[in-house]
Amino acid sequence: MKNLKNIALGLVMALGLAAGAHASSGGGIAWDKAPVKTNDLASLQNGAKLFVNYCLNCHSAAFMRFNRLKDIGLTDQQIKDNLLFTTDKVGETMKAAIDPKQAKEWFGGNPPDLTVIARAKAGQGTGADYLYTYLRTYYRDETKATGWNNMVFPSVGMPHVLWELQGERQPIFEEREEHGHTVEVFTGKWKQIKPGTMTPLQYDQAVGDLVNYLQWMGEPAQNTRVRVGVWVLLFLLCFTVIAWRLNAAFWKDVK
């Protein structure tokens, strides 16, 4: 009985540490729920367009080929006309246009590959939620080399590439007493300094589409795998019933 109590206590403590790690990672703010729908072709197509236009300049997706975008409803001709900026062939992988040496000089390091970024960030919680919150919490900070900072990733080296869409914002803090000290705590509200080309709702929807595409890109076969898996389970269920009845019929006369 004592061992069971110790095990239960250990599980409670582990869950508490995991929750604390989730809260403390990403600058200590709660992550928003990403509207991920990897079967929404219109969302995936818009996300692919945003990715190619705003992300592929610096970040590669070296394990994804352009012709794989046919899985989200695009034709080869549509891909050639609208998405091929870094190569001339549809069968090529998504390589960044930036020179790695220049990237290291400008940002202090080569921007990471984004093919499986949504799955990689899942180790910190839900990868899509992390990316969705990260891309929506940039703010102006003139003390940084890029002029930008981020609530999820403080002192991030990446500038706000979507700032023209979102505009410029500042987080609103309030002072609170914690452990005998006065600290500034983010209220969850923002002050718009300069408007962007999109309204806040439109920007959130655009980021949702981009994150949806990043989630899909991490495992393009996921929807097929789930669909086939359902049919396999249904087949096994039916086969189990048939096998059970055959077994009963075979042994009914055996004493």
Side-chain angles (χ1 to χ4, degrees):
M1 192 68 180
K2 184 177 180 180
N3 289 336
L4 290 176
K5 289 182 178 180
N6 290 336
I7 293 172
L9 181 61
L11 288 173
V12 170
M13 291 178 66
L15 290 173
L17 288 172
H22 181 276
S24 62
S25 63
I29 67 170
W31 298 347
D32 297 325
K33 182 65 177 176
V36 173
K37 296 179 181 179
T38 53
N39 56 354
D40 186 338
L41 296 185
S43 173
L44 290 172
Q45 291 172 10
N46 187 46
K49 181 181 71 174
L50 290 168
F51 177 79
V52 170
N53 281 280
Y54 291 97
C55 303
L56 199 56
N57 295 317
C58 298
H59 295 275
S60 292
F63 302 98
M64 172 61 63
R65 297 185 183 277
F66 282 98
N67 57 9
R68 191 64 192 263
L69 298 179
K70 291 191 291 185
D71 290 356
I72 60 175
L74 297 175
T75 64
D76 282 342
Q77 194 60 46
Q78 288 175 323
I79 296 171
K80 290 179 180 179
D81 294 342
N82 302 300
L83 300 176
L84 289 188
F85 302 125
T86 60
T87 182
D88 297 327
K89 299 180 180 179
V90 179
E92 291 291 324
T93 56
M94 294 183 171
K95 296 180 180 179
I98 196 172
D99 184 345
K101 293 182 179 179
Q102 290 180 331
K104 190 172 182 178
E105 292 177 2
W106 295 343
F107 307 118
N110 198 23
D113 187 278
L114 298 183
T115 310
V116 293
I117 189 65
R119 298 178 67 181
K121 292 299 181 181
Q124 304 176 29
T126 303
D129 294 346
Y130 173 89
L131 295 171
Y132 182 65
T133 309
Y134 166 73
L135 291 171
R136 293 166 53 253
T137 54
Y138 267 96
Y139 63 94
R140 271 294 182 189
D141 187 347
E142 299 302 335
T143 66
K144 304 302 179 183
T146 63
W148 296 96
N149 208 335
N150 191 279
M151 295 297 296
V152 171
F153 193 155
S155 300
V156 63
M158 172 181 156
H160 188 16
V161 295
L162 302 175
W163 73 271
E164 290 183 328
L165 306 181
Q166 187 183 32
E168 298 181 17
R169 304 193 305 169
Q170 283 289 348
I172 299 176
F173 296 91
E174 66 179 11
E175 292 186 349
R176 294 181 185 174
E177 290 288 334
E178 291 186 4
H179 308 292
H181 299 280
T182 301
V183 296
E184 288 189 337
V185 180
F186 178 50
T187 61
K189 299 179 181 179
W190 296 84
K191 178 182 178 182
Q192 192 78 30
I193 300 175
K194 292 182 181 179
T197 58
M198 293 182 173
T199 65
L201 179 59
Q202 289 173 333
Y203 181 76
D204 287 350
Q205 290 174 341
V207 171
D209 291 343
L210 176 56
V211 172
N212 194 26
Y213 172 76
L214 291 172
Q215 181 77 15
W216 172 84
M217 185 168 61
E219 189 180 355
Q222 180 181 17
N223 293 332
T224 302
R225 174 173 56 78
V226 172
R227 185 171 59 254
V228 172
V230 170
W231 285 107
V232 169
L233 290 175
L234 289 174
F235 167 77
L236 291 175
L237 179 62
C238 294
F239 181 78
T240 299
V241 173
I242 294 172
W244 171 57
R245 295 309 305 159
L246 284 174
N247 181 72
F250 180 80
W251 288 99
K252 67 178 181 179
D253 298 325
V254 179
K255 296 183 180 179

